[in-house]
Amino acid sequence: MQNEVVSREEWLEARRALLAKEKEATRLRDSVNAARLALPWVRVDKDYVFETPEGRKSLADLFDGRSQLLIYHFMLGPDWDAGCTGCSFLSDHVDGALPHLNHHDVTWVAVSRAPLDKIAAYKQRMGWQFPWVSSFGSDFNFDYHVSFSPEDLAKDKVFYNFTPMQPADANDELPGLSAFYRNDKGEIFHTYSSYARGPEELIGTLMILDRAPKGRNEDGTMNFVRRHDEYQEAPNAPSCCH
């Protein structure tokens, strides 16, 4: 792989043309962010209970004294042996952001349907510190369209990313991000959700790779990603064992 090689003057001309597109994308992102902030809210009247290392907690408890709550719907089902590779990739970027989020009145919590002991074991394996709770036995994941029962997957369509989709394209667990606000009266509102590639901008590694000479260098969406303890150096010489 090698792009066209040109003079510095020709490169500068091409770079300025790209800069115009980058500025256009920045302005579009600002516009999208403003539209996101202007979305109407939905009151959350249903009581949800989560299993946490400190005992059972309500959705209000997960705010941890702050007014804003971001919940990452982490794909780790009750029968799964390990967390989703893509969700793990995203979650590798969270711990460093926690002090900044917390001091900006935002709490981050991961939620999965796996039992708490399975969550704790995988969290320890990955070395993460962010809060992670279980919604096992709760309707929460189903109500926010990130978990699907065998009965759901047996239907003609399932609802994911605000769109009916073929069950063959779904899974028992799918990723997403949901935002909530709690006012001074204790009322909770669902303000935003994003699914599929929607939370991709949270993955800083991808944003860095987009600026590298080969970009993401992938054959399919994030097909190069492994859990961070599963990467191996390329062998120094061919081996009959590979």
Side-chain angles (χ1 to χ4, degrees):
M1 167 236 164
Q2 180 172 305
N3 290 19
E4 181 185 5
V5 178
V6 299
S7 68
R8 176 61 62 180
E9 290 74 19
E10 291 173 301
W11 181 88
L12 185 59
E13 181 180 356
R15 181 63 187 91
R16 283 173 173 159
L18 177 59
L19 178 61
K21 291 185 177 181
E22 289 176 335
K23 288 184 175 181
E24 181 181 354
T26 298
R27 288 190 290 269
L28 178 58
R29 185 177 68 237
D30 290 343
S31 175
V32 170
N33 287 341
R36 183 184 295 117
L37 291 176
L39 273 176
W41 296 353
V42 177
R43 189 190 308 275
V44 179
D45 293 321
K46 193 169 184 177
D47 293 327
Y48 296 105
V49 177
F50 304 87
E51 299 292 338
T52 84
E54 296 79 31
R56 292 164 68 85
K57 290 187 177 182
S58 66
L59 182 62
D61 294 329
L62 297 187
F63 281 78
D64 197 23
R66 302 179 182 91
S67 70
Q68 301 167 87
L69 173 66
L70 291 176
I71 286 183
Y72 183 66
H73 304 287
F74 194 113
M75 294 170 63
L76 180 56
D79 301 325
W80 290 33
D81 294 327
C84 160
T85 302
C87 291
S88 300
F89 186 37
L90 183 148
S91 297
D92 280 338
H93 298 77
V94 173
D95 280 349
L98 286 181
H100 308 287
L101 293 174
N102 292 345
H103 284 83
H104 208 57
D105 193 32
V106 176
T107 296
W108 174 282
V109 177
V111 172
S112 299
R113 283 204 312 124
L116 198 59
D117 58 346
K118 185 169 289 190
I119 288 174
Y122 189 67
K123 181 179 177 181
Q124 182 178 21
R125 170 187 165 182
M126 294 289 100
W128 295 325
Q129 301 299 317
F130 57 81
W132 192 354
V133 304
S134 172
S135 63
F136 186 72
S138 163
D139 293 333
F140 183 77
N141 279 44
F142 298 101
D143 289 350
Y144 287 89
H145 306 289
V146 291
S147 292
F148 304 93
S149 68
E151 292 76 20
D152 293 329
L153 296 174
K155 297 177 181 177
D156 293 335
K157 301 283 186 180
V158 297
F159 190 76
Y160 178 69
N161 202 16
F162 314 107
T163 308
M165 65 184 294
Q166 295 292 333
D169 298 325
N171 195 23
D172 57 336
E173 306 291 335
L174 288 172
L177 178 76
S178 293
F180 302 86
Y181 177 75
R182 187 169 185 257
N183 64 19
D184 292 339
K185 295 189 291 185
E187 298 171 313
I188 296 175
F189 303 89
H190 175 217
T191 66
Y192 177 75
S193 282
S194 180
Y195 304 98
R197 290 184 63 184
E200 188 175 271
E201 289 186 346
L202 278 63
I203 306 177
T205 300
L206 292 181
M207 304 302 109
I208 295 172
L209 286 175
D210 286 342
R211 287 143 179 87
K214 291 185 179 181
R216 302 186 186 185
N217 196 24
E218 58 188 5
D219 298 324
T221 303
M222 296 199 308
N223 70 337
F224 63 93
V225 173
R226 304 291 182 269
R227 298 177 184 89
H228 63 240
D229 63 354
E230 293 176 342
Y231 287 110
Q232 296 181 0
E233 296 295 331
N236 293 326
S239 168
C240 63
C241 297
H242 289 79

